[in-house]
Amino acid sequence: MTAGLAPEGRLLVPLYVHPAVDRAAWQAVAAADPARIAAVVLNLADGPGETPDGVFAEAAEELRAAGMPLVGYADTDYGRRPHAAVVADILTYRQRHGITGVYLDQVAGHPGALAHYRRLATAARAAGCGTVVFGHGDHPDPGYAEVGLADLLVTFEGDWDAYRAMTLPLWTGRHAASRFCHLVYDVPPEHAADAAALIAARRAGVGCAVPGAGENPWRTLPYGLTAAELT
């Protein structure tokens, strides 16, 4: 077995590198088994970008043609970004790349913001998004797991050391593992299999472990999707 996500889980792939910079990474994702991929997150410029990008659009279309479910990245700034601006990003992604879902990032975790995010989730589904992901990065108030809000909650995003020290709130056990995603970066190659096992043990049905670190660790591919591992 490759050192990717455990067999019972699937990969969320934050593909935060431009195809003109790392074409091989996009090709490696396109060559993967779509059954292993929960979603590929498109992110041109912390969103869809102000103007169309032909190189990006062509690479995204290749992923779509390969059967990859595509979700568009939209920053919510912990509830501070206006509803209309987030919805505009979703509509732009739909128009340019035919996304089937949205990854709302920097999602607040306190109960006071639930109404705001309920409106965003409703608007996303009305715009044609069959999948709504909330990128909390930490465990939010249990209310965010209510049925009909988000399909997937990213309840951890951080480095390997922080992930090993993380503890699970008891309320997560009341929900299916498929509702949770853990994103772990700065994972040394010798601990790739350990990261996959820990993601599974913590009942996150979706996950991603990458070797990257620094300002944008998601410029690197998840373990198990490198070109060498696919050949």
Side-chain angles (χ1 to χ4, degrees):
M1 184 182 77
T2 57
L5 194 63
E8 60 270 26
R10 292 190 298 162
L11 284 166
L12 180 78
V13 184
L15 193 56
Y16 298 171
V17 61
H18 196 282
V21 174
D22 191 349
R23 183 65 173 169
W26 285 69
Q27 291 173 336
V29 176
D33 179 0
R36 295 185 59 206
I37 310 298
V40 179
V41 186
L42 301 182
N43 184 5
L44 179 60
D46 288 337
E50 294 185 4
T51 58
D53 182 315
V55 174
F56 188 91
E58 180 182 356
E61 177 56 31
E62 290 176 3
L63 291 178
R64 195 155 66 95
M68 299 299 162
L70 304 181
V71 301
Y73 176 99
D75 183 13
T76 73
D77 194 21
Y78 299 105
R80 293 184 290 262
R81 192 162 180 237
H83 173 92
V86 178
V87 173
D89 279 357
I90 296 169
L91 294 174
T92 299
Y93 276 119
R94 286 280 295 163
Q95 180 183 27
R96 294 180 187 169
H97 307 301
I99 60 165
T100 57
V102 63
Y103 184 107
L104 300 176
D105 198 20
Q106 298 200 106
V107 172
H110 59 87
L114 266 169
H116 173 72
Y117 285 102
R118 193 176 290 112
R119 287 182 62 226
L120 280 177
T122 299
R125 296 189 196 283
C129 292
T131 301
V132 176
V133 183
F134 279 1
H136 297 281
D138 198 356
H139 287 93
D141 180 86
Y144 285 88
E146 69 181 59
V147 174
L149 195 54
D151 302 285
L152 186 64
L153 303 177
V154 178
T155 53
F156 180 87
E157 182 176 354
D159 65 27
W160 174 233
D161 288 340
Y163 190 56
R164 286 187 294 178
M166 186 261 279
T167 57
L168 283 176
L170 291 177
W171 68 262
T172 60
R174 300 196 297 268
H175 301 277
S178 60
R179 298 290 309 284
F180 300 105
C181 174
H182 294 169
L183 303 178
V184 191
Y185 58 81
D186 200 10
V187 179
E190 64 271 22
H191 288 296
D194 298 330
L198 192 54
I199 289 170
R202 288 176 168 166
R203 296 187 68 257
V206 180
C208 180
V210 300
E215 186 175 343
N216 179 20
W218 310 114
R219 69 188 182 280
T220 57
L221 282 174
Y223 287 109
L225 285 189
T226 66
E229 289 170 306
L230 289 167
T231 57

